[in-house]
Amino acid sequence: MVNREDIRKYFSRYFLGRIPVHSFCFSMHKMNVLNLNRNIEVYKGVAKARIISPLQFSCGKLACVNSSMKMKSLSAKIKGDKIKSYAPGEIKSKEVSLKIAVHLRKWRKQFALLPQERRNRLSFIPINERVTEKNEFNLAYFQPIIHDNVSKLVLNKQNGSLFIWYNSINRSFDPKGLYMYKRLGDKDIDWRWIEIGSQSKN
Amino acid sequence: MPVADNNSLAYIIIEAEEGSFRGAVLASDLRGIPVDFRYTEPIRPTKLEKVLYGNALEVYLKEELILESLIRAVEAKPALWICREQNLLAPLRFFTKSKAIMLMNSNHHPLDSAGDIESTGENGVYFVQADSVSAPLKITFQPNVAENEVKFVVNLLVNASQTMELTEPFSRMQKALRTIATEIQGDGK
């Protein structure tokens, strides 16, 4: 009787190298099932607000943290320049004054050099009442002028006003009026002082 | 406390120009001759001050800070304080605790004679004929002013107009401020 082993050997010799024989394992790999769900963790992005009075910064007390850190003992061991105290986070605030300052100056002496100005008042005196003589016509009338105090008179040709420089030392208070007039045929203008109140004939 | 000097007047001007504020006070005798003149250096508010004070900045500077400083600086005590801005009148009276008016020239027809008064119809505002050869002046008192105060002020102005031109000091003060500003600019260069 031919046993099965003999048959296998026979056929294996016969087919040797012609048919590849593979073994096959039916055992399946264990599948890993992954959960796609995510856990959401919420972090607070904003820290609690801290309000620090600016006065705390200006008083300089933050710098005193140095004393608790014993920086002195550290500095003694280091050769060379001493380490200057340093407080991290030290903030210096600048105080802003809310009061606006006013600076006053005296200028009386210089101001006294400025001339007073008189405008022409001729238009307020009716033509038939103006003080004038024959062959004269008035161009302007100025008042009041303290005649005894006058040190200089200048006619402002731009607007017809009169500049007056007074000598302030003189204490006279005697006011006068001043006519500026022209005589027919003359090129130059002339001046006439009159008492106040007599600037018109009435 | 100085006694009121019936022979002097005090003129006040406060100007705002190109973002800066300045003021001046002139105390003069009745001839217009200066007894005292003081001015403030120009005040130019910073951006921070503009933000902090807001709309109240101009009022604070003109009607309080500059005005009060000028009034305090004047050593004499004049019989009358004179301004030409309506909004300065009430604070001027408040700080000086004295008689104060706003004074302006007018184009009103001349009144009959020197010393004449005509009401404008507004409370406390009058035309006053100070002398016989000019248009009347327009004078503003505080509302409901007492009649005797009006008389006192008119008498003073009529008296002063015999020896000085009453509104002229304002233009002289402006010239002075312009001269000072030019000097300051010259020094700064």
Side-chain angles (χ1 to χ4, degrees), chain B residues 26 31 68 90-91 94-95 113 115 135 151 164 169 177 180:
Chain B
L26 166 70
R31 298 172 297 177
E68 192 180 2
F94 174 78
F95 287 124
S113 57
K151 280 184 183 171
M164 67 182 287
L177 285 178
I180 290 162

Side-chain angles (χ1 to χ4, degrees), chain B:
Chain B
M1 190 82 175
V3 179
D5 176 7
N6 283 340
N7 293 319
S8 69
L9 305 171
Y11 291 81
I12 280 212
I13 59 171
I14 297 175
E15 297 179 335
E17 200 173 78
E18 294 174 356
S20 74
F21 298 80
R22 61 185 182 180
V25 60
L26 166 70
S28 82
D29 66 13
L30 297 190
R31 298 172 297 177
I33 293 175
V35 176
D36 197 356
F37 177 78
R38 312 219 179 193
Y39 68 94
T40 64
E41 288 184 351
I43 297 171
R44 189 177 291 275
T46 62
K47 283 182 183 174
L48 178 63
E49 286 161 350
K50 283 178 187 171
V51 171
L52 288 172
Y53 287 93
N55 293 334
L57 179 71
E58 186 166 340
V59 174
Y60 169 64
L61 285 176
K62 290 173 79 172
E63 297 176 25
E64 278 192 43
L65 198 61
I66 295 176
L67 185 68
E68 192 180 2
S69 302
L70 289 171
I71 290 166
R72 282 186 179 173
V74 176
E75 288 164 4
K77 191 166 188 278
L80 182 65
W81 292 84
I82 303 171
C83 67
R84 58 177 183 178
E85 286 181 80
Q86 177 77 49
N87 55 4
L88 291 185
L89 184 56
L92 186 59
R93 192 175 169 84
F94 174 78
F95 287 124
T96 60
K97 295 180 174 54
S98 181
K99 295 176 182 67
I101 59 165
M102 182 177 79
L103 183 66
M104 295 170 73
N105 287 319
S106 82
N107 293 322
H108 196 267
H109 62 81
L111 306 180
D112 288 341
S113 57
D116 282 359
I117 305 171
E118 186 179 297
S119 174
T120 63
E122 288 179 72
N123 190 350
V125 186
Y126 301 91
F127 290 118
V128 173
Q129 190 68 44
D131 58 60
S132 58
V133 282
S134 62
L137 298 166
K138 189 178 178 185
I139 300 177
T140 306
F141 296 83
Q142 85 282 6
N144 305 317
V145 61
E147 194 178 332
N148 59 351
E149 184 172 329
V150 175
K151 280 184 183 171
F152 171 85
V153 169
V154 170
N155 284 338
L156 180 64
L157 294 180
V158 169
N159 186 28
S161 73
Q162 292 176 10
T163 47
M164 67 182 287
E165 194 159 319
L166 289 168
T167 54
E168 182 273 338
F170 286 128
S171 59
R172 215 172 346 144
M173 292 167 80
Q174 268 188 313
K175 280 179 197 166
L177 285 178
R178 277 203 299 271
T179 306
I180 290 162
T182 310
E183 282 179 4
I184 291 170
Q185 281 177 351
D187 292 344
K189 282 179 184 173

Side-chain angles (χ1 to χ4, degrees), chain A residues 121-134:
Chain A
R121 302 194 188 201
L122 191 64
S123 62
F124 293 99
I125 306 173
I127 294 173
N128 58 347
E129 293 180 10
R130 292 173 188 171
V131 174
T132 182
E133 291 184 7
K134 200 175 179 183

Side-chain angles (χ1 to χ4, degrees), chain A residues 168-184:
Chain A
S168 57
I169 297 170
N170 196 319
R171 300 297 300 163
S172 172
F173 270 80
D174 184 23
K176 290 197 165 145
L178 182 63
Y179 271 110
M180 183 176 79
Y181 68 94
K182 202 168 182 182
R183 198 169 280 121
L184 285 173

